[in-house]
Amino acid sequence: MLHLRLIVPREKTDDVVRLIDGTVGTTHVVVMPGVAREPAGDVVSCDVAREAGDELLGGLQRLGIEECGSIAVENIDLSLSKRAVRAEKEAPGEPADAVLWEHLVEETHEESTLSVTYLAFMTLATMIAACGVVLDNAILIVGAMAVGPEFGPLTGISTSVVQRQPRLALRSLNALLAGFALAMAVTVVFSLLMDAGGLFTEARLEGDRPQTGFVYAPDALSFVVALLAGVAGTLSLTSAKSGALVGVAISVTTIPAAANAAVALSYGDMAQTAGSSKQLLLNLGAITLAGTATMLLQKWLWGRQRGRLHTRRA
């Protein structure tokens, strides 16, 4: 269940209450006239089943509540109410299948913001992966994959395509390109310093690496794995099952490929640099493609389900 807290101008309160009452899956409606001070107006709150949340939010936006008032949405971790149980049963579909598009846009907007923290995580992850590829240490590679924040901008690009938000696409692309560019540049310097200290050697990079050699050898399987990871990552975000993102992060070869390209470049090995760059681009493209296709399918399926519900009600 979701809890909505609305600040509504007095002249729109009746319209908002009618909208809530007419939305299947809503309950616990509370109206507090005149209690809001900034902006001035009434406070209206209600609980709504997650699968009905997107429809209700869309209706509130059409009434202009986000412009003249406020819409706040919270997840309800526990609700002991027979009315809430009945509301969830009446709502179409299953909560895990519902997509709150406005929430997804807001979340990907935050995750794709080019900030100091984002750049720090990108750079640290790439340097950790650099140690992993030189030492042929799979544990370090997995750790670097988990630290890397690149899935946020990739999801932002997919979301922008589905929701037709070019600004989000530009923001996400900027974060992605700037993040990898800075991380790889810093990792080149890091590699040179590690070599000067005797911790990295070209012989280790060029030697047999059974654990990490895949990062500069892209093939069809790499593309398939990235596609599957893109689908899984998108589903984890849209269904609010963020725990699955860790598994997604350690199944794609983005950060390790960028790290291997940077280390190889520091030693002048253009063959490995090119192979790693191809691996990186292949994974980025496959994840974006899979994410976009998954969201489009989700939107189509959910639209059909809501359409059938409205037909039955009519």
Side-chain angles (χ1 to χ4, degrees):
M1 294 288 289
L2 302 171
H3 178 70
L4 271 63
R5 189 200 68 223
L6 315 171
I7 298 179
V8 183
R10 291 183 180 180
E11 64 272 15
K12 290 182 178 287
T13 300
D14 289 341
D15 293 334
V16 168
V17 173
R18 276 194 294 269
L19 173 64
I20 293 173
D21 289 340
T23 302
V24 175
T26 58
T27 188
H28 304 152
V29 183
V30 178
V31 180
M32 294 176 281
V35 300
R37 300 183 61 182
E38 179 56 36
D42 303 334
V43 172
V44 180
S45 66
C46 69
D47 295 342
V48 58
R50 179 181 173 84
E51 51 270 43
D54 191 59
E55 180 179 1
L56 180 56
L57 288 173
L60 291 170
Q61 289 177 306
R62 286 190 292 273
L63 289 174
I65 303 304
E66 66 176 332
E67 300 292 336
C68 58
S70 170
I71 304 173
V73 184
E74 298 175 325
N75 281 308
I76 300 176
D77 295 327
L78 176 64
S79 179
L80 301 178
S81 167
K82 290 185 178 180
R83 290 181 178 271
V85 173
R86 185 164 61 248
E88 286 191 320
K89 289 182 178 179
E90 292 174 350
E94 295 296 328
D97 297 332
V99 181
L100 295 176
W101 291 105
E102 288 300 323
H103 178 268
L104 182 62
V105 169
E106 182 65 24
E107 184 175 6
T108 53
H109 183 278
E110 294 179 3
E111 292 293 330
S112 59
T113 299
L114 188 61
S115 63
V116 174
T117 301
Y118 168 83
L119 292 173
F121 273 116
M122 283 288 287
T123 304
L124 290 170
T126 307
M127 289 192 291
I128 293 171
C131 296
V133 296
V134 172
L135 298 175
D136 193 36
N137 189 314
I139 295 177
L140 291 176
I141 293 295
V142 170
M145 289 175 171
V147 172
E150 75 280 8
F151 198 81
L154 290 172
T155 306
I157 294 173
S158 297
T159 304
S160 68
V161 173
V162 175
Q163 294 298 98
R164 299 178 182 178
Q165 299 209 8
R167 289 187 179 180
L168 178 58
L170 290 175
R171 175 186 290 268
S172 301
L173 189 60
N174 180 49
L176 196 66
L177 295 178
F180 273 111
L182 178 64
M184 292 174 71
V186 172
T187 301
V188 169
V189 177
F190 173 72
S191 178
L192 293 172
L193 292 175
M194 294 291 280
D195 179 77
L199 299 176
F200 281 9
T201 63
E202 187 173 5
R204 282 184 168 181
L205 179 71
E206 302 296 342
D208 185 32
R209 289 191 284 148
Q211 299 294 322
T212 60
F214 67 93
V215 299
Y216 61 88
D219 54 20
L221 187 58
S222 300
F223 183 75
V224 171
V225 171
L227 281 176
L228 297 175
V231 173
T234 302
L235 289 175
S236 72
L237 284 176
T238 56
S239 63
K241 294 184 181 295
S242 58
L245 275 178
V246 177
V248 172
I250 61 177
S251 62
V252 293
T253 314
T254 49
I255 293 293
N260 198 85
V263 176
L265 184 62
S266 71
Y267 285 114
D269 186 340
M270 303 312 296
Q272 280 203 42
T273 300
S276 300
S277 299
K278 290 179 182 177
Q279 181 76 277
L280 173 62
L281 294 174
L282 182 148
N283 275 263
L284 294 177
I287 293 170
T288 305
L289 176 63
T292 303
T294 301
M295 289 183 191
L296 286 171
L297 181 60
Q298 286 178 297
K299 196 167 189 178
W300 178 74
L301 290 173
W302 196 252
R304 287 193 62 186
Q305 191 163 20
R306 289 202 316 195
R308 287 196 296 267
L309 174 67
H310 293 319
T311 300
R312 289 198 302 269
R313 291 175 62 188

